[in-house]
Amino acid sequence: MGNSPIGTGGDVAQLSKFYRAGTWIEGRAEDQLTEVAGWPGMSRIAAFPDLHPGRFGPVGAAFLADRLWPQLVGPDIGCGMALFALDLPGRKLNLDRAARRLRMLEGPDDGADAALAAADIPDLTAMGLGTIGGGNHFCEVQEVAEVAPGAPLATGDLCLLVHSGSRSQGAGIFAALQGEWGAGFAPDSDAGRAYLARHDAAVRWARLNRARIADRAAQALRCQATLICDTSHNHLRETDNGWLHCKGAAEADRGLAPLAGSRDAASYLLAVTGRDPDALGALSHGAGRRYDRAAMHGRMREGRADLAAMTRNALGGRVICEDRALQVEESGRAYKNAAAVVADLAAFDLAHPLATLVPRITFKTARTGGEA
DNA sequence: ATGTAC
């Protein structure tokens, strides 16, 4: 199911859509799918319910090709979601005190150099390691609400969801290409090999970055963070059938995957089935944007009182986002309904919810650091 | 996405 080959010509990728008729998908995102399906050497595409328009192609899809397309990965190479269990019960969380302490994430990571040296990642520096960055990135303390049998978390537990990537490292790798990817890179070309090596390093750096952020957040909260799962959603890798590019599409080969909601809506821990080969081993990574950044400024009041109210989320939790534009652009209203995304994934038997994770403190950015 | 441009 879900297959809808487009066009009548021969050289068009097979497109599989994993969303149902009632799911909100922007027309421009589907136009982009059609466009990328016609790129040379593109064989199969899987599109997921968090699909939305992006700069070089749609976000929320996986693309199988005979060559490398760096623009389908984008500048934030290795960006992903990592979920950690905290050994701190939800009933012990003092929201205001914890929010104050988490402000230390704004500062530099004193352990970055040592962490990078231990990881032995070639040709990248520790600059920015352990920091969240901007845009849609965040570090969120969540409380487990509902759980399904087999969940590695229990109701009332706290966890940490970190969404971040390779910061200026991946952006530098992408920028160095200067847009000169032509009709993609042949994997065995000098340019292709050089990009792949740098890409792989950035993917490792980004995973390390999420672990550093979680360690720093746990330190701020006087507890320990234990990794549950970490899935990259901007990367490419070689498969038996070609080069798989994931853009806003999570790795679905790890049994588990986090799916981000928004600051106003629950995230999910998913059990991944891996049953449908047309999904190309990928999966939704979040709710997906409903409105682009510019549109959000036309949709929200931005007065002092309005912005002050945004320090609380819709569920009584806290939001630390002391950047005026980002506060509006990353409002919960900018995102689609994560529960509907999860329902679509379940309907196609791609993944099923194991735990519902309610946002308690969303940390984006602070103007000043936190208390010691 | 970006130690955020001219």
Side-chain angles (χ1 to χ4, degrees):
Chain A
M1 274 305 294
N3 290 352
S4 49
I6 48 177
T8 50
D11 274 11
V12 175
Q14 169 194 291
L15 177 58
S16 304
K17 296 177 178 176
F18 293 94
Y19 43 85
R20 296 176 291 176
T23 299
W24 168 263
I25 303 287
E26 202 175 323
R28 197 156 51 91
E30 292 204 312
D31 293 345
Q32 288 186 327
L33 275 181
T34 307
E35 196 178 309
V36 177
W39 287 7
M42 196 63 65
S43 56
R44 296 165 73 187
I45 299 178
F48 301 104
D50 50 344
L51 193 81
H52 57 280
R55 167 92 172 79
F56 297 100
V59 181
F63 309 86
L64 196 62
D66 66 357
R67 64 194 76 178
L68 315 178
W69 293 97
Q71 66 273 55
L72 282 183
V73 175
D76 195 1
I77 302 163
C79 185
M81 303 275 176
L83 183 69
F84 301 82
L86 297 179
D87 61 346
L88 178 71
R91 60 185 157 74
K92 282 199 164 182
L93 182 71
N94 177 322
L95 282 179
D96 290 311
R97 188 178 63 193
R100 203 162 55 237
R101 287 175 169 173
L102 281 172
R103 298 173 69 91
M104 65 84 80
L105 290 171
E106 190 64 30
D109 176 7
D110 293 334
D113 286 321
L116 186 69
D120 190 28
I121 298 172
D123 301 328
L124 296 179
T125 74
M127 186 175 64
L129 191 64
T131 64
I132 295 166
N136 54 6
H137 293 171
F138 61 80
C139 172
E140 187 169 271
V141 178
Q142 305 174 329
E143 185 164 339
V144 179
E146 294 170 68
V147 292
L153 291 160
T155 300
D157 286 355
L158 289 183
C159 57
L160 205 61
L161 181 61
V162 177
H163 179 190
S164 188
S166 52
R167 309 287 282 107
S168 62
Q169 309 284 326
I173 293 165
F174 188 71
L177 303 176
Q178 298 185 290
E180 290 174 357
W181 38 66
F185 291 148
D188 57 356
S189 66
D190 287 347
R193 271 194 297 266
Y195 172 72
L196 261 178
R198 291 175 183 159
H199 161 282
D200 292 352
V203 168
R204 293 180 57 207
W205 195 101
R207 230 183 271 283
L208 177 63
N209 189 35
R210 293 187 283 276
R212 290 299 311 163
I213 293 165
D215 276 352
R216 297 180 68 207
Q219 193 181 357
L221 298 173
R222 277 71 162 164
C223 65
Q224 300 277 323
T226 306
L227 181 68
I228 295 174
C229 57
D230 181 314
T231 55
S232 165
H233 54 245
N234 287 349
H235 62 273
L236 60 81
R237 67 182 167 88
E238 190 172 19
T239 72
D240 291 343
N241 300 315
W243 291 88
L244 182 69
H245 303 65
C246 287
K247 179 61 173 176
E251 303 164 282
D253 58 351
R254 306 187 163 218
L256 299 173
L259 186 142
S262 75
R263 60 176 58 165
D264 286 323
S267 295
Y268 296 85
L269 174 61
L270 303 176
V272 181
T273 68
R275 284 194 193 110
D276 191 338
D278 287 340
L280 306 177
L283 194 72
S284 286
H285 77 304
R289 256 192 185 278
R290 179 194 268 285
Y291 300 115
D292 66 33
R293 294 170 186 287
M296 285 310 295
H297 288 287
R299 300 187 66 85
M300 293 195 59
R301 295 164 153 273
E302 299 184 35
R304 277 182 77 137
D306 304 301
L307 289 162
M310 291 183 220
T311 59
R312 302 275 172 128
N313 73 14
L315 307 153
R318 303 291 183 268
V319 177
I320 302 135
C321 182
E322 295 168 358
D323 176 300
R324 193 190 167 93
L326 205 56
Q327 182 66 285
V328 169
E329 292 162 7
E330 289 296 315
S331 157
R333 289 157 62 184
Y335 286 89
K336 300 201 255 189
N337 182 349
V341 169
V342 172
D344 273 0
L345 299 178
F348 285 98
D349 195 31
L350 296 187
H352 300 275
L354 272 178
T356 305
L357 315 170
V358 176
R360 303 300 286 142
I361 307 171
T362 306
F363 184 92
K364 299 276 294 177
T365 184
R367 283 220 182 80
T368 56
E371 64 184 34

